[in-house]
Amino acid sequence: MTGGLLDQLKLDVDSDFDVHRVSQANDPEKLVDEVGGDVEILCNTGHGLKIDGALMDRLPKLKLIANFGVGYDTIDAAEASRRNIIVTNTPEVLSDEVADTALGLLLMTVRELSAAERWLRDGKWASEGDYRLTPMSLQGRSIGIVGLGRIGKAIAHRCEAFGTPISYFGRTKKSDVAYPFYTDIVEMARAVDTLIVVTPGTAETKNLINQDVLEALGSDGVVINVARGSVVDENALITAINSQTIAGAGLDVMWNEPNINPELMKLENTVLLPHVGSASLRTRRAMGQLVIDNMKALKTGTAPLTPVPETPFAEW
Ligand code: 8YV
């Protein structure tokens, strides 16, 4: 087990499995050397550990990588597939929570809600008067969702309630929605003023939101990112905000978390959250339980509940 998330949630893994806790080892490398030959399941409950072929080489009996989280960009799933190792993630159970957070972050950004609260807490309401009228509003905005998967659709559903027109960018047109579909992200950015980024962090999506996209989005533009830091070219974003090429951003995810680029910290019209998209007790418990249920499937010889597409299940 790579991290402490299941322990924090008080979800019991020790009754069903012999658990080696990498995060509690004085010398994690030594622990892998000592027990790696016996390990059948890698329970990935940490942040950011790279699970690649080199690590898999050290775990010759590995059958399952059970990831805590829907995004599994830190796992080389193609390599796992070559070795007949199943990778599971935690889809569905977090979609509504992340969509709620995305809309909250959007509202915080356009209505400057965190800055307004700081104004009140700093005593400025009494000493200096009302907080300023926000140049931005959610009303009148047009939203482009980058990646209309399960979470993207939950976000779109909420945007409909807010009355904002929706478009989406992705690889494939969805047959169950009528929103305008774009295969060219610059073209979509030109047509909307708000991007909500919710696509997986892959080699293909790295720096997808680049200078060209930001220029196309324009001076009222807002970028909300609840996906992965890697999807946004962070330097291009900082430059675009500083030069007022776009108006601002709301970021729940960033490059090099949790060591945030100091230039991001200086931006006033930007809201930064510490990767809390799914982070309620209720949702994290559901995610943790799904991780455990996937692991129990190996123990009982049944099919895992949520294998990722790269590693479809046939048999253990
Ligand atoms: C993380 C997430 O899993 O599901 C995802 O892809 O980004 C989060 O829910 C969480 O930070 C635990 O690592």
Side-chain angles (χ1 to χ4, degrees):
M1 194 153 88
T2 62
L5 284 166
L6 293 180
D7 294 331
Q8 275 167 31
L9 293 163
K10 300 195 172 39
L11 289 169
D12 176 26
V13 259
D14 298 272
S15 307
D16 287 291
F17 305 94
D18 287 330
V19 186
H20 301 286
R21 290 175 164 76
V22 180
S23 56
Q24 286 176 16
N26 290 331
D27 185 344
E29 290 299 319
K30 198 165 150 230
L31 179 70
V32 177
D33 286 339
E34 278 168 10
V35 304
D38 295 326
V39 166
E40 290 177 300
I41 302 176
L42 195 56
C43 178
N44 190 32
T45 50
H47 295 281
L49 174 76
K50 216 167 151 237
I51 300 176
D52 55 9
L55 180 57
M56 294 175 208
D57 281 342
R58 297 166 75 190
L59 311 171
K61 290 192 184 157
L62 191 64
K63 293 196 176 77
L64 168 67
I65 302 168
N67 188 53
F68 189 112
V70 68
Y72 50 98
D73 45 299
T74 56
I75 302 170
D76 187 342
E79 184 57 34
S81 165
R82 279 191 280 278
R83 296 170 187 239
N84 291 321
I85 296 167
I86 298 287
V87 178
T88 58
N89 65 344
T90 60
E92 312 274 2
V93 292
L94 48 48
S95 298
D96 284 326
E97 197 77 68
V98 178
D100 290 348
T101 309
L103 266 295
L105 182 53
L106 173 58
L107 281 166
M108 285 172 78
T109 306
V110 295
R111 296 300 330 287
E112 304 180 7
L113 297 179
S114 29
E117 194 199 5
R118 283 196 295 275
W119 181 266
L120 179 152
R121 286 184 186 271
D122 290 347
K124 290 184 180 166
W125 192 15
S127 65
E128 293 183 34
D130 289 343
Y131 185 74
R132 71 172 186 160
L133 304 179
T134 61
M136 288 187 276
S137 168
L138 183 58
Q139 296 307 308
R141 280 191 173 268
S142 173
I143 304 220
I145 298 177
V146 182
L148 200 73
R150 285 169 289 232
I151 302 175
K153 281 183 185 162
I155 290 172
H157 186 60
R158 284 155 177 74
C159 290
E160 282 187 18
F162 282 101
T164 52
I166 300 152
S167 307
Y168 70 105
F169 161 85
R171 273 181 309 197
T172 45
K173 190 168 167 35
K174 310 283 171 184
S175 54
D176 54 345
V177 297
Y179 314 131
F181 167 59
Y182 292 87
T183 50
D184 181 335
I185 187 136
V186 173
E187 211 183 298
M188 182 171 84
R190 231 178 262 127
V192 304
D193 54 24
T194 308
L195 292 179
I196 302 185
V197 183
V198 64
T199 191
T202 61
E204 207 185 320
T205 62
K206 189 172 172 195
N207 288 333
L208 178 68
I209 310 302
N210 59 18
Q211 187 187 338
D212 291 346
V213 175
L214 297 168
E215 281 171 6
L217 197 58
S219 56
D220 290 328
V222 168
V223 174
I224 302 297
N225 189 5
V226 292
R228 285 291 181 267
S230 63
V231 184
V232 174
D233 179 338
E234 207 161 272
N235 288 326
L237 181 76
I238 292 165
T239 305
I241 293 172
N242 278 329
S243 62
Q244 292 168 12
T245 301
I246 68 165
L251 309 175
D252 184 44
V253 288
M254 283 143 270
W255 279 84
N256 204 27
E257 295 168 13
N259 302 305
I260 302 313
N261 185 336
E263 294 303 314
L264 273 181
M265 299 280 204
K266 291 186 205 154
L267 300 174
E268 281 185 9
N269 40 359
T270 293
V271 176
L272 305 174
L273 295 180
H275 200 147
V276 293
S278 69
S280 70
L281 262 180
R282 174 194 167 93
T283 293
R284 285 288 171 87
R285 272 199 192 115
M287 293 163 70
Q289 192 56 54
L290 185 50
V291 171
I292 292 173
D293 291 345
N294 275 311
M295 298 201 296
K296 282 188 180 163
L298 173 60
K299 208 176 163 183
T300 55
T302 53
L305 283 82
T306 48
V308 303
E310 294 92 325
T311 65
F313 176 74
E315 57 179 351
W316 289 114

